[in-house]
Amino acid sequence: MITETALLEKLPRGLFIGGEWVDGSAGTFAVHDPATGDVLAEIADASPEDGIRALDAAVAAQDAWAATAPRTRSDILRRAFDLLTERADEFALLMTLEMGKPLAEARGEVTYGGEFLRWFSEEAVRIAGRYGSNPEGTGRMVISQRPVGPCFFITPWNFPLAMATRKIAPALAAGCTVVVKPPELTPLTTLAFVQLLVEAGLPAGVVNVVTTTTSSAVSGAIIADPRLRKLSFTGSTPVGKKLIAQAAEGVLRVSMELGGNAPFVVFDDADLDKAVDGAMAAKFRNIGQACTAANRFIVHEAVAGEFADRVSERVRAMKIGRGTEEGVQIGPLIDQKAVDGTAALVKDAVDRGAVVRAGGSAIEGPGTFFEPTVITEVAAGSDILREEIFGPVLAIATFASEDEAVRLANDTEYGLVSYVFTEDLQRGLRMIDRLETGMMGLNIGVVSNAAAPFGGVKQSGVGREGGLEGIHEYLSTKYTLIPAS
């Protein structure tokens, strides 16, 4: 396996504009390892003018890329998948270094992120329209699909590879060009991935990357440009609302994957082995730093005690450390702000009467670590039941009836994903209809899949990524009428 030093030395450090690696006009900035605080790399810092140069390149490449044969676009994505698979260990190590997740989880993200390349390589050649007579018989209708045009993507720090491939792959498959702004905290994986796309044969200007410490200024300039036609963002709901407002000025197509507050409902007839396994996956995957992470554990009062005992035992046995260490299950949180926020939520719950069953504290020393935590007897009104935790804290409240469980689960402005554990099939089917979320896991704690539409309802966003639906976010429908002869 490649060493950390060798991996970092081979990384590109510049902006990628028009097929070339160039300096940022705002200088450089440092990317840190959250497990140690050490600097991993100094990379280019873009200004708003650099952002517009990147959009210039995307606009210049748009017509040629849209006219490129679907099979050619498909082949490039497939070659990118093959290259990523060959270099899985390198990409996994890079994500662990800049984001902190355990190496085993990073390898899983490489697999997941790669599947978007493979899936949309297959969808590129299946973009279809239709043809037929109008009802009056006076003409022929041709319904065709065309790429929406240049796109701007703002990706999050928590899944540096998968969130990039989930947006870039369908856009390229549809014939759109792209400007990507990776997160300031974890930009290195995106730079390595774009370098891989070039090796796969991607033409100059089709994908452009601007890394920056002035995200709002760079993004604002790009979004305000009338040549941009699509905006896709993954991140918090407050930021998403601001971006939607900016996008409204240009009437842009938008895809927004925003905050979550996922309920994890355990009924009294649940298989507790499945429920505990599901809880560990749904809560502690990515150190709890996922919009799909279970946030509120709503457990039937008849089984809440046993459920809490079993998850607490599992949590106390979890190994904490730098993600590169053998057997580590909990790495660092992304930064000190994340640690402080997690600690504040736990303190508020305890001040309101909650009981800490495991963990509960930040860890002193280098890096930004917080103990995996279980708290029970969480009172209604606690901040931890209203806010997205984004940390390794499992908070348990109880319910007595199905109607109460549904009420508690839906008592949030968010609606991304829910998890339900019950052995009653009819109850499970009722939950599909009654829970106000865009996705649901029934007796399983992880739902994400490249072949499935990912997205939420309410303030968790608009649009879908992945699945058959994913490519249509990057296509516009055109209707043509031909008079009957």
Side-chain angles (χ1 to χ4, degrees), residues 14-320:
L15 312 178
F16 190 66
I17 298 177
E20 297 181 354
W21 295 101
V22 298
D23 293 337
S25 57
T28 64
F29 66 95
V31 180
H32 295 85
D33 179 346
T36 64
D38 295 340
V39 173
L40 295 171
E42 291 273 351
I43 66 171
D45 194 358
S47 67
E49 291 75 21
D50 293 326
I52 295 302
R53 286 170 53 215
L55 182 60
D56 290 343
V59 170
Q62 177 60 55
D63 287 348
W65 183 244
T68 298
R71 177 58 69 194
T72 301
R73 301 198 298 261
S74 171
D75 288 345
I76 291 171
L77 288 170
R78 178 64 199 214
R79 282 196 295 273
F81 168 78
D82 291 337
L83 288 170
L84 181 63
T85 302
E86 291 172 11
R87 300 173 194 173
D89 286 344
E90 292 185 18
F91 275 87
L93 177 58
L94 184 57
M95 281 189 284
T96 294
L97 293 179
E98 68 171 341
M99 187 266 155
K101 68 182 70 187
L103 198 53
E105 288 194 24
R107 291 189 182 102
E109 182 176 342
V110 175
T111 300
Y112 176 50
E115 283 302 313
F116 289 105
L117 299 172
R118 178 156 64 173
W119 174 266
F120 286 110
S121 75
E122 296 162 347
E123 290 299 293
V125 296
R126 293 180 175 85
I127 298 171
R130 67 181 193 270
Y131 169 84
S133 298
N134 64 5
E136 298 77 16
T138 58
R140 301 286 189 269
M141 300 185 300
V142 178
I143 314 300
S144 56
Q145 303 290 330
R146 298 183 57 80
V148 298
C151 303
F152 180 44
F153 297 154
I154 305 173
T155 58
W157 53 261
N158 55 343
F159 290 93
L161 178 67
M163 298 304 96
T165 60
R166 196 163 76 182
K167 296 181 190 299
I168 293 172
L172 299 188
C176 298
T177 58
V178 171
V179 177
V180 184
K181 191 205 74 62
E184 179 182 347
L185 293 169
T186 61
L188 304 181
T189 301
T190 302
L191 297 178
F193 174 61
V194 171
Q195 188 175 48
L196 181 148
L197 285 175
V198 173
E199 291 183 50
L202 193 71
V206 176
V207 174
N208 307 273
V209 182
V210 287
T211 51
T212 182
T213 58
T214 55
S215 179
S216 60
V218 172
S219 297
I222 295 172
I223 294 168
D225 194 298
R227 298 172 299 170
L228 186 70
R229 298 315 315 141
K230 164 83 181 186
L231 168 65
S232 180
F233 168 74
T234 296
S236 72
T237 295
V239 174
K241 288 179 178 180
K242 293 177 182 178
L243 292 171
I244 291 171
Q246 294 175 37
E249 290 297 316
V251 196
L252 299 182
R253 289 272 293 270
V254 296
S255 298
M256 294 280 152
E257 196 266 282
L258 307 178
N261 189 4
F264 188 104
V265 183
V266 182
F267 285 97
D268 55 346
D269 64 348
D271 180 324
L272 284 189
D273 289 335
K274 292 180 185 176
V276 170
D277 286 345
M280 299 302 292
K283 177 71 263 181
F284 297 105
R285 174 174 173 254
N286 216 48
I287 323 161
Q289 299 173 121
C291 56
T292 54
N295 212 62
R296 297 167 294 140
F297 286 77
I298 303 167
V299 186
H300 193 279
E301 58 190 14
V303 297
E306 182 180 356
F307 178 82
D309 289 343
R310 291 171 67 170
V311 295
S312 297
E313 181 180 7
R314 293 271 292 270
V315 167
R316 284 191 289 266
M318 297 183 88
K319 182 177 179 180
I320 307 166

